[in-house]
Amino acid sequence: MAPKISKADKKIAYDQKLCQLLDEYSQVLVAAADNVGSNQLQNIRRGLRGDSVVLMGKNTMMKRSVRIHAENTGNQAILNIIPLLVGNVGLIFTKGDLKEVSEEVAKYKVGAPARVGLVAPIDVVVPPGNTGLDPSQTSFFQVLNIPTKINKGTVEIITPVELIKKGDKVGSSEAALLSKLGIRPFSYGLVVVSVYDNGSVFSPEVLDLTEDDLMEKFALGVSMVTSLSLAISYPTLAAAPHMFINAYKNALAIAVETDYSFPQADKVKEYLADPSKFAVAAAPVAAAAPGAAPAAAKEEEKKDEPAEESDDDLGFGLFD
């Protein structure tokens, strides 16, 4: 018979395991584990096997091990994990892609019945329809003010009813009714609440950002910098092109109204002096427009066709 391991030995073994994982992995997902069963957790471990390790434990033990590891290695960045260890949470150490691991964890959610005293994570709505219950069960519906009718010897719910609101505690009547109807309204699993990556801590929503989202946010930031720079006349790389264009427009306006000129303004003055040159400049653009070539070809065909004889050509115009 193997000797029984003492609590002190278990704590030492746990401390060594956690410190080893902190040495091997630089990415950690902090996941909430409320209402997650042992079988469900085992399935998650099996699904992540290969590049990820799930470690559960008491928050005080995990915080103590993290502090010891930071003191022994001098890695103070690892202390950023400590504020995240609040509530019923576990650590998922991984070397894979953080988004893929987070999506894999989210797959292992299982339905759960509404137990008495449980805080509802979502709104629970009972849909209308035949319940399959005999008329003697109408007392449950009457207590909960659910409109029903008897149809073909069974109880039928007439309209959808919001039975439980998010954040409310499940009562005994609600739990009994949902159990009789076979409704498992809640689903539970590991939920990633924070991400640690090489000393940085951020929300898991960051993992859902795409390159298009990043480009959009970057463009918005550049636009704001440009607007601020133009407003306070402070030159920046983003605002420089706009400043040069605005300066050119001001100089051009002065040149047009006065005798002062410069090479770029001479052509503008020439066009203003002879507006017909605008039409000459626009002609090549119109010729290059779609449909211009077919139209020109049709004009050439009309020139080649013989002219039709008119009444004047036949001499009828002489008597007008």
Side-chain angles (χ1 to χ4, degrees):
M1 185 175 178
K4 186 177 180 180
I5 302 176
S6 63
K7 290 185 178 180
D9 293 336
K10 289 181 179 180
K11 289 182 179 180
I12 293 173
Y14 183 88
D15 179 69
Q16 292 175 348
K17 182 178 181 179
L18 180 53
C19 291
Q20 181 183 355
L21 292 174
L22 292 173
D23 284 332
E24 295 180 5
Y25 297 86
S26 60
Q27 300 179 139
V28 183
L29 299 176
V30 181
D34 292 331
N35 302 298
V36 177
S38 57
N39 291 336
Q40 185 180 358
L41 189 59
Q42 189 64 26
N43 292 333
I44 296 174
R45 284 196 171 101
R46 191 179 298 112
L48 297 177
R49 188 173 297 165
D51 60 355
S52 303
V53 178
V54 180
L55 181 67
M56 307 298 293
K58 293 182 178 180
N59 292 346
T60 52
M61 291 182 62
M62 288 191 287
K63 291 178 181 179
R64 174 179 173 276
S65 298
V66 171
R67 291 193 184 95
I68 292 175
H69 182 269
E71 292 175 1
N72 295 337
T73 61
N75 183 11
Q76 299 299 314
I78 201 69
L79 295 175
N80 292 333
I81 295 179
I82 293 179
L84 308 178
L85 302 177
V86 179
N88 186 16
V89 297
L91 301 178
I92 303 175
F93 297 86
T94 181
K95 294 180 180 178
D97 183 82
L98 290 171
K99 183 178 181 180
E100 293 179 359
V101 175
S102 180
E103 290 175 349
E104 183 67 22
V105 170
K107 292 179 182 178
Y108 294 90
K109 285 189 176 182
V110 297
R115 298 186 180 90
V116 179
L118 191 67
V119 177
I122 58 172
D123 293 333
V124 179
V125 178
V126 178
N130 197 318
T131 63
L133 300 176
D134 59 83
S136 63
Q137 305 292 329
T138 54
S139 58
F140 285 104
F141 300 96
Q142 292 174 355
V143 170
L144 298 171
N145 295 322
I146 298 177
T148 59
K149 67 178 182 179
I150 306 301
N151 184 17
K152 296 180 181 180
T154 58
V155 179
E156 181 177 330
I157 299 176
I158 300 174
T159 59
V161 178
E162 186 178 18
L163 188 63
I164 308 172
K165 292 185 178 180
K166 181 180 178 180
D168 293 345
K169 286 188 177 182
V170 180
S172 57
S173 299
E174 290 90 345
L177 177 60
L178 292 173
S179 177
K180 286 181 178 294
L181 296 177
I183 297 176
R184 300 167 67 89
F186 307 140
S187 60
Y188 298 107
L190 290 182
V191 179
V192 178
V193 293
S194 299
V195 181
Y196 171 88
D197 186 5
N198 290 306
S200 301
V201 177
F202 50 88
S203 171
E205 282 78 11
V206 176
L207 302 177
D208 297 329
L209 293 176
T210 62
E211 291 186 3
D212 293 337
D213 296 329
L214 296 177
M215 290 299 296
E216 182 180 353
K217 291 182 180 296
F218 178 77
L220 179 61
V222 171
S223 175
M224 295 177 65
V225 170
T226 304
S227 301
L228 180 61
S229 300
L230 292 174
I232 64 177
S233 299
Y234 183 82
T236 60
L237 186 61
H242 302 277
M243 289 182 170
F244 283 121
I245 292 174
N246 292 337
Y248 168 71
K249 289 179 180 179
N250 294 333
L252 183 61
I254 294 173
V256 169
E257 295 294 331
T258 63
D259 294 335
Y260 172 78
S261 185
F262 53 94
Q264 289 79 5
D266 290 338
K267 191 171 184 179
V268 176
K269 286 186 174 183
E270 182 181 347
Y271 274 77
L272 292 176
D274 186 6
S276 63
K277 292 186 177 182
F278 283 104
V280 176
V285 178
K298 288 181 180 179
E299 290 296 331
E300 291 295 331
E301 290 178 0
K302 287 182 179 180
K303 290 180 181 179
D304 296 338
E305 293 177 357
E308 296 181 357
E309 294 181 345
S310 63
D311 293 343
D312 292 340
D313 296 335
L314 296 175
F316 296 112
L318 298 174
F319 300 100
D320 292 343

